[in-house]
Amino acid sequence: MQDKLAQIQEQGREQYARVQALQTKLPQLQAATQTALLQQQEALINAKRYHQNLTERAADLDALEALAKESPKVLNSSIGSLTQQIEALGAVNLAALQELEEARERDGYYRSQSEDVQAAITLLEEAIAQIDDKTKARFKETFDAVNGKVQTFFPTLFGGGEATLKMIGDDLLTAGVSIMARPPGKKNSTIHLLSGGEKALTAMSLVFALFSLNPAPFCLLDEVDAPLDDANTSRFCNLVKEMSAQTQFLYISHNRLTMEMAEQLVGVTMQEKGVSRVVAVDIKQALEMAEPN
Protein backbone atom coordinates (compact mmCIF):
# COMPACT_ATOMS: atom_id res chain seq x y z
CA MET A 1 0.00 0.00 0.00
CA GLN A 2 2.82 2.37 0.80
CA ASP A 3 4.39 1.60 -2.53
CA LYS A 4 1.12 2.32 -4.31
CA LEU A 5 0.68 5.52 -2.33
CA ALA A 6 4.15 6.63 -3.30
CA GLN A 7 3.42 5.80 -6.91
CA ILE A 8 0.15 7.73 -6.86
CA GLN A 9 1.84 10.71 -5.22
CA GLU A 10 4.49 10.63 -7.91
CA GLN A 11 1.83 10.57 -10.60
CA GLY A 12 0.05 13.49 -8.89
CA ARG A 13 3.24 15.51 -8.87
CA GLU A 14 3.73 14.77 -12.58
CA GLN A 15 0.15 15.79 -13.34
CA TYR A 16 0.60 18.96 -11.34
CA ALA A 17 3.79 19.72 -13.25
CA ARG A 18 1.92 19.21 -16.51
CA VAL A 19 -0.89 21.48 -15.33
CA GLN A 20 1.66 24.11 -14.41
CA ALA A 21 3.31 23.78 -17.80
CA LEU A 22 -0.06 24.06 -19.59
CA GLN A 23 -1.00 27.05 -17.51
CA THR A 24 2.29 28.63 -18.50
CA LYS A 25 1.55 28.04 -22.23
CA LEU A 26 -2.08 29.17 -21.94
CA PRO A 27 -1.41 32.96 -22.29
CA GLN A 28 0.74 32.30 -25.36
CA LEU A 29 -1.96 30.14 -26.91
CA GLN A 30 -4.64 32.72 -26.07
CA ALA A 31 -2.50 35.47 -27.65
CA ALA A 32 -1.89 33.34 -30.72
CA THR A 33 -5.60 32.58 -30.97
CA GLN A 34 -6.42 36.27 -30.65
CA THR A 35 -3.88 37.14 -33.33
CA ALA A 36 -5.29 34.46 -35.63
CA LEU A 37 -8.80 35.80 -35.08
CA LEU A 38 -7.64 39.33 -35.88
CA GLN A 39 -5.83 38.16 -39.01
CA GLN A 40 -8.91 36.22 -40.05
CA GLN A 41 -11.07 39.30 -39.53
CA GLU A 42 -8.62 41.43 -41.46
CA ALA A 43 -8.48 38.86 -44.23
CA LEU A 44 -12.29 38.85 -44.45
CA ILE A 45 -12.38 42.64 -44.61
CA ASN A 46 -9.67 42.71 -47.32
CA ALA A 47 -11.46 39.98 -49.23
CA LYS A 48 -14.69 41.97 -49.17
CA ARG A 49 -12.88 45.11 -50.30
CA TYR A 50 -11.03 43.31 -53.09
CA HIS A 51 -14.23 41.62 -54.20
CA GLN A 52 -15.99 44.99 -54.29
CA ASN A 53 -13.14 46.53 -56.31
CA LEU A 54 -13.14 43.66 -58.75
CA THR A 55 -16.90 43.88 -59.12
CA GLU A 56 -16.78 47.64 -59.71
CA ARG A 57 -14.10 47.19 -62.36
CA ALA A 58 -16.02 44.36 -64.05
CA ALA A 59 -13.24 41.83 -63.51
CA ASP A 60 -13.56 38.28 -64.76
CA LEU A 61 -14.07 36.45 -61.44
CA ASP A 62 -14.06 33.02 -63.07
CA ALA A 63 -10.66 33.69 -64.63
CA LEU A 64 -9.33 34.93 -61.29
CA GLU A 65 -10.70 31.84 -59.54
CA ALA A 66 -8.96 29.63 -62.11
CA LEU A 67 -5.77 31.63 -61.64
CA ALA A 68 -5.98 31.20 -57.87
CA LYS A 69 -5.74 27.45 -58.35
CA GLU A 70 -2.25 27.81 -59.78
CA SER A 71 0.79 27.01 -57.73
CA PRO A 72 2.41 29.78 -55.66
CA LYS A 73 5.49 29.70 -57.87
CA VAL A 74 3.43 30.37 -61.00
CA LEU A 75 1.51 33.13 -59.24
CA ASN A 76 4.73 34.73 -58.01
CA SER A 77 6.15 34.60 -61.52
CA SER A 78 3.01 36.19 -62.96
CA ILE A 79 3.05 38.85 -60.25
CA GLY A 80 6.71 39.60 -60.97
CA SER A 81 6.05 39.90 -64.72
CA LEU A 82 3.09 42.20 -64.19
CA THR A 83 5.11 44.30 -61.76
CA GLN A 84 7.86 44.77 -64.35
CA GLN A 85 5.31 45.78 -66.96
CA ILE A 86 3.77 48.30 -64.60
CA GLU A 87 7.18 49.73 -63.75
CA ALA A 88 7.99 49.95 -67.48
CA LEU A 89 4.98 52.24 -67.92
CA GLY A 90 6.79 54.87 -65.89
CA ALA A 91 5.45 57.38 -63.46
CA VAL A 92 1.74 58.05 -63.36
CA ASN A 93 0.77 61.37 -64.98
CA LEU A 94 -1.75 62.85 -62.59
CA ALA A 95 -2.65 65.55 -65.11
CA ALA A 96 -3.50 63.03 -67.83
CA LEU A 97 -7.26 63.50 -67.47
CA GLN A 98 -6.94 67.27 -67.73
CA GLU A 99 -4.64 66.95 -70.72
CA LEU A 100 -7.09 64.52 -72.31
CA GLU A 101 -9.91 67.00 -71.85
CA GLU A 102 -7.80 69.78 -73.36
CA ALA A 103 -6.88 67.52 -76.28
CA ARG A 104 -10.57 66.77 -76.84
CA GLU A 105 -11.37 70.48 -76.84
CA ARG A 106 -8.60 71.15 -79.36
CA ASP A 107 -9.76 68.25 -81.48
CA GLY A 108 -13.31 69.62 -81.47
CA TYR A 109 -12.03 73.09 -82.37
CA TYR A 110 -9.91 71.79 -85.24
CA ARG A 111 -12.75 69.62 -86.51
CA SER A 112 -15.01 72.68 -86.50
CA GLN A 113 -12.37 74.68 -88.35
CA SER A 114 -11.92 71.86 -90.86
CA GLU A 115 -15.66 71.75 -91.48
CA ASP A 116 -15.69 75.52 -92.00
CA VAL A 117 -12.80 75.25 -94.44
CA GLN A 118 -14.51 72.44 -96.34
CA ALA A 119 -17.71 74.50 -96.51
CA ALA A 120 -15.71 77.49 -97.76
CA ILE A 121 -13.98 75.32 -100.37
CA THR A 122 -17.33 74.02 -101.57
CA LEU A 123 -18.69 77.56 -101.74
CA LEU A 124 -15.62 78.75 -103.65
CA GLU A 125 -15.87 75.86 -106.08
CA GLU A 126 -19.51 76.73 -106.74
CA ALA A 127 -18.58 80.39 -107.20
CA ILE A 128 -15.71 79.45 -109.55
CA ALA A 129 -18.07 77.25 -111.57
CA GLN A 130 -20.55 80.12 -111.86
CA ILE A 131 -17.78 82.55 -112.82
CA ASP A 132 -16.49 80.09 -115.43
CA ASP A 133 -19.95 79.73 -116.92
CA LYS A 134 -20.47 83.49 -117.04
CA THR A 135 -16.97 84.02 -118.41
CA LYS A 136 -17.54 81.47 -121.15
CA ALA A 137 -20.85 83.08 -122.08
CA ARG A 138 -19.38 86.60 -122.12
CA PHE A 139 -16.29 85.47 -124.01
CA LYS A 140 -18.40 83.76 -126.65
CA GLU A 141 -20.64 86.81 -126.92
CA THR A 142 -17.63 89.15 -127.19
CA PHE A 143 -15.88 86.84 -129.63
CA ASP A 144 -18.89 86.78 -131.95
CA ALA A 145 -19.26 90.57 -131.71
CA VAL A 146 -15.55 91.19 -132.43
CA ASN A 147 -15.66 88.71 -135.28
CA GLY A 148 -18.55 90.62 -136.81
CA LYS A 149 -16.72 93.94 -136.45
CA VAL A 150 -13.52 92.50 -137.96
CA GLN A 151 -15.51 91.31 -140.96
CA THR A 152 -16.73 94.92 -141.31
CA PHE A 153 -13.49 96.83 -140.70
CA PHE A 154 -11.24 94.56 -142.75
CA PRO A 155 -12.96 95.26 -146.10
CA THR A 156 -13.14 98.95 -145.16
CA LEU A 157 -9.37 99.14 -144.63
CA PHE A 158 -8.46 96.93 -147.59
CA GLY A 159 -11.16 98.07 -150.00
CA GLY A 160 -12.40 94.50 -150.18
CA GLY A 161 -11.38 91.02 -149.09
CA GLU A 162 -12.52 89.15 -146.02
CA ALA A 163 -11.28 88.24 -142.55
CA THR A 164 -12.70 86.09 -139.78
CA LEU A 165 -11.71 85.07 -136.28
CA LYS A 166 -11.51 81.39 -135.37
CA MET A 167 -11.20 79.72 -132.01
CA ILE A 168 -8.42 77.20 -131.42
CA GLY A 169 -9.54 74.59 -128.90
CA ASP A 170 -12.80 73.38 -127.43
CA ASP A 171 -12.55 74.93 -123.97
CA LEU A 172 -13.52 78.58 -124.15
CA LEU A 173 -11.41 79.41 -121.08
CA THR A 174 -8.17 78.12 -122.60
CA ALA A 175 -8.88 78.37 -126.32
CA GLY A 176 -6.69 80.53 -128.50
CA VAL A 177 -7.87 82.91 -131.19
CA SER A 178 -6.52 83.07 -134.73
CA ILE A 179 -7.38 85.53 -137.48
CA MET A 180 -7.87 84.37 -141.05
CA ALA A 181 -7.19 87.32 -143.40
CA ARG A 182 -7.61 87.25 -147.14
CA PRO A 183 -6.98 90.61 -148.85
CA PRO A 184 -8.66 91.20 -152.21
CA GLY A 185 -7.01 89.33 -155.05
CA LYS A 186 -5.01 86.98 -152.79
CA LYS A 187 -5.41 83.37 -151.75
CA ASN A 188 -2.92 83.17 -148.93
CA SER A 189 -2.82 80.20 -146.57
CA THR A 190 -0.92 81.91 -143.75
CA ILE A 191 -0.55 85.43 -142.43
CA HIS A 192 3.21 85.22 -143.02
CA LEU A 193 2.52 85.51 -146.77
CA LEU A 194 1.07 89.01 -146.27
CA SER A 195 3.15 92.11 -146.81
CA GLY A 196 4.07 94.47 -144.00
CA GLY A 197 1.29 96.88 -144.89
CA GLU A 198 -1.28 94.09 -145.10
CA LYS A 199 -0.22 92.77 -141.73
CA ALA A 200 -0.55 96.27 -140.25
CA LEU A 201 -4.04 96.74 -141.70
CA THR A 202 -5.09 93.30 -140.46
CA ALA A 203 -3.91 94.14 -136.95
CA MET A 204 -5.66 97.53 -137.11
CA SER A 205 -8.91 95.91 -138.14
CA LEU A 206 -8.76 93.75 -135.00
CA VAL A 207 -7.77 96.69 -132.76
CA PHE A 208 -10.51 98.93 -134.15
CA ALA A 209 -13.03 96.09 -133.75
CA LEU A 210 -12.17 95.85 -130.05
CA PHE A 211 -12.28 99.64 -129.62
CA SER A 212 -15.66 99.88 -131.33
CA LEU A 213 -17.18 97.39 -128.86
CA ASN A 214 -15.57 98.90 -125.75
CA PRO A 215 -14.43 102.44 -126.55
CA ALA A 216 -11.52 103.73 -124.48
CA PRO A 217 -10.94 107.42 -123.69
CA PHE A 218 -7.93 107.50 -125.99
CA CYS A 219 -5.92 105.27 -128.31
CA LEU A 220 -2.18 105.59 -128.94
CA LEU A 221 -0.86 104.53 -132.35
CA ASP A 222 2.85 104.46 -133.05
CA GLU A 223 3.89 104.53 -136.72
CA VAL A 224 1.09 102.16 -137.74
CA ASP A 225 0.89 103.87 -141.13
CA ALA A 226 4.59 103.50 -141.90
CA PRO A 227 4.23 100.42 -144.16
CA LEU A 228 1.08 101.71 -145.91
CA ASP A 229 0.84 103.22 -149.36
CA ASP A 230 -1.23 106.32 -150.05
CA ALA A 231 -4.43 104.43 -150.90
CA ASN A 232 -4.33 102.34 -147.76
CA THR A 233 -3.33 105.40 -145.72
CA SER A 234 -6.39 107.27 -146.97
CA ARG A 235 -8.71 104.43 -145.96
CA PHE A 236 -6.94 104.26 -142.59
CA CYS A 237 -7.40 108.01 -142.06
CA ASN A 238 -11.09 107.83 -142.97
CA LEU A 239 -11.65 105.06 -140.44
CA VAL A 240 -9.77 106.96 -137.73
CA LYS A 241 -11.91 110.06 -138.39
CA GLU A 242 -15.03 107.95 -138.11
CA MET A 243 -13.97 106.40 -134.81
CA SER A 244 -12.63 109.66 -133.33
CA ALA A 245 -16.21 110.53 -132.42
CA GLN A 246 -15.92 108.04 -129.53
CA THR A 247 -12.17 107.81 -128.91
CA GLN A 248 -9.40 110.39 -128.95
CA PHE A 249 -6.52 109.18 -131.10
CA LEU A 250 -2.91 110.04 -130.33
CA TYR A 251 -0.58 108.83 -133.04
CA ILE A 252 3.03 109.16 -134.04
CA SER A 253 3.46 109.50 -137.77
CA HIS A 254 5.70 110.91 -140.50
CA ASN A 255 3.09 110.41 -143.22
CA ARG A 256 1.79 113.57 -144.87
CA LEU A 257 -1.76 112.26 -145.32
CA THR A 258 -2.00 111.17 -141.70
CA MET A 259 -0.70 114.52 -140.43
CA GLU A 260 -3.24 116.36 -142.58
CA MET A 261 -6.00 114.47 -140.77
CA ALA A 262 -4.86 115.67 -137.33
CA GLU A 263 -6.51 118.50 -135.44
CA GLN A 264 -3.32 119.34 -133.57
CA LEU A 265 0.30 118.62 -134.35
CA VAL A 266 3.05 118.33 -131.78
CA GLY A 267 6.60 118.05 -133.07
CA VAL A 268 10.18 118.36 -131.95
CA THR A 269 12.52 120.73 -133.75
CA MET A 270 16.17 121.61 -133.27
CA GLN A 271 16.84 125.21 -134.32
CA GLU A 272 20.13 125.17 -132.47
CA LYS A 273 22.47 122.24 -132.50
CA GLY A 274 21.95 120.06 -129.43
CA VAL A 275 18.86 122.02 -128.27
CA SER A 276 15.49 120.36 -128.86
CA ARG A 277 12.24 122.27 -128.75
CA VAL A 278 8.65 121.08 -128.72
CA VAL A 279 6.37 122.87 -131.17
CA ALA A 280 2.58 122.52 -131.07
CA VAL A 281 0.32 123.62 -133.93
CA ASP A 282 -3.48 123.85 -133.82
CA ILE A 283 -4.54 122.94 -137.36
CA LYS A 284 -7.91 124.69 -137.23
CA GLN A 285 -6.38 127.86 -135.82
CA ALA A 286 -3.63 127.74 -138.41
CA LEU A 287 -6.18 127.39 -141.24
CA GLU A 288 -8.17 130.33 -139.90
CA MET A 289 -5.02 132.45 -139.82
CA ALA A 290 -4.09 131.35 -143.32
CA GLU A 291 -7.48 132.29 -144.84
CA PRO A 292 -7.53 135.75 -146.44
CA ASN A 293 -9.66 138.37 -144.69
Side-chain angles (χ1 to χ4, degrees):
M1 293 298 293
Q2 287 179 352
D3 292 337
K4 289 182 179 180
L5 178 60
Q7 186 178 2
I8 291 172
Q9 288 177 347
E10 184 65 26
Q11 291 177 356
R13 285 193 294 270
E14 292 176 359
Q15 292 295 331
Y16 179 77
R18 291 177 183 176
V19 171
Q20 290 296 323
L22 292 175
Q23 287 179 350
T24 303
K25 294 180 179 180
L26 180 60
Q28 297 176 358
L29 294 175
Q30 289 177 345
T33 302
Q34 187 68 25
T35 302
L37 291 174
L38 292 176
Q39 291 177 351
Q40 182 182 9
Q41 189 68 23
E42 183 180 2
L44 291 174
I45 293 173
N46 291 334
K48 290 180 180 180
R49 187 173 70 251
Y50 294 150
H51 186 272
Q52 183 178 0
N53 291 336
L54 294 173
T55 304
E56 291 176 354
R57 301 188 182 190
D60 190 351
L61 299 179
D62 295 334
L64 292 175
E65 184 178 357
L67 184 62
K69 296 179 181 179
E70 297 289 340
S71 64
K73 291 183 178 181
V74 175
L75 292 177
N76 289 332
S77 177
S78 300
I79 292 172
S81 176
L82 292 175
T83 302
Q84 291 178 358
Q85 294 178 9
I86 292 173
E87 291 177 353
L89 293 176
V92 177
N93 185 6
L94 300 178
L97 293 178
Q98 182 179 359
E99 293 176 358
L100 177 61
E101 187 64 26
E102 293 176 355
R104 287 176 177 173
E105 292 179 359
R106 290 197 302 271
D107 179 68
Y109 172 77
Y110 291 137
R111 287 181 183 273
S112 176
Q113 293 296 315
S114 176
E115 292 175 358
D116 293 342
V117 171
Q118 290 297 330
I121 291 174
T122 302
L123 184 61
L124 286 175
E125 289 176 349
E126 293 176 357
I128 291 172
Q130 294 178 0
I131 292 173
D132 289 346
D133 294 339
K134 292 182 180 180
T135 302
K136 290 179 181 179
R138 293 188 62 181
F139 176 77
K140 186 64 169 63
E141 180 182 354
T142 303
F143 176 83
D144 294 339
V146 172
N147 189 22
K149 290 292 184 180
V150 168
Q151 295 178 17
T152 301
F153 286 123
F154 187 87
T156 301
L157 289 172
F158 276 90
E162 59 181 4
T164 58
L165 297 179
K166 290 187 178 180
M167 225 175 288
I168 303 174
D170 298 329
D171 188 1
L172 294 178
L173 296 178
T174 58
V177 177
S178 64
I179 181 169
M180 304 298 296
R182 184 165 297 176
K186 284 192 174 183
K187 293 183 179 180
N188 57 296
S189 59
T190 174
I191 196 171
H192 298 293
L193 299 178
L194 298 178
S195 64
E198 290 170 341
K199 291 179 181 178
L201 289 177
T202 302
M204 281 188 283
S205 66
L206 178 59
V207 172
F208 288 154
L210 294 172
F211 265 86
S212 64
L213 292 177
N214 188 16
F218 65 90
C219 177
L220 178 63
L221 303 176
D222 185 9
E223 296 285 359
V224 296
D225 56 352
L228 304 181
D229 57 13
D230 289 345
N232 289 330
T233 302
S234 297
R235 288 193 292 269
F236 163 70
C237 293
N238 293 332
L239 185 57
V240 170
K241 287 181 180 179
E242 180 182 346
M243 296 189 64
S244 63
Q246 298 178 338
T247 302
Q248 182 179 10
F249 285 88
L250 306 176
Y251 53 87
I252 301 172
S253 176
H254 294 85
N255 190 291
R256 175 182 56 83
L257 296 176
T258 306
M259 288 190 287
E260 289 178 357
M261 174 186 62
E263 296 180 357
Q264 187 174 9
L265 292 177
V266 179
V268 179
T269 183
M270 186 182 296
Q271 294 181 349
E272 300 179 9
K273 186 175 181 181
V275 179
S276 298
R277 180 184 176 187
V278 178
V279 179
V281 178
D282 190 328
I283 301 299
K284 291 183 178 181
Q285 186 177 3
L287 291 175
E288 292 177 355
M289 293 175 61
E291 290 180 358
N293 294 330

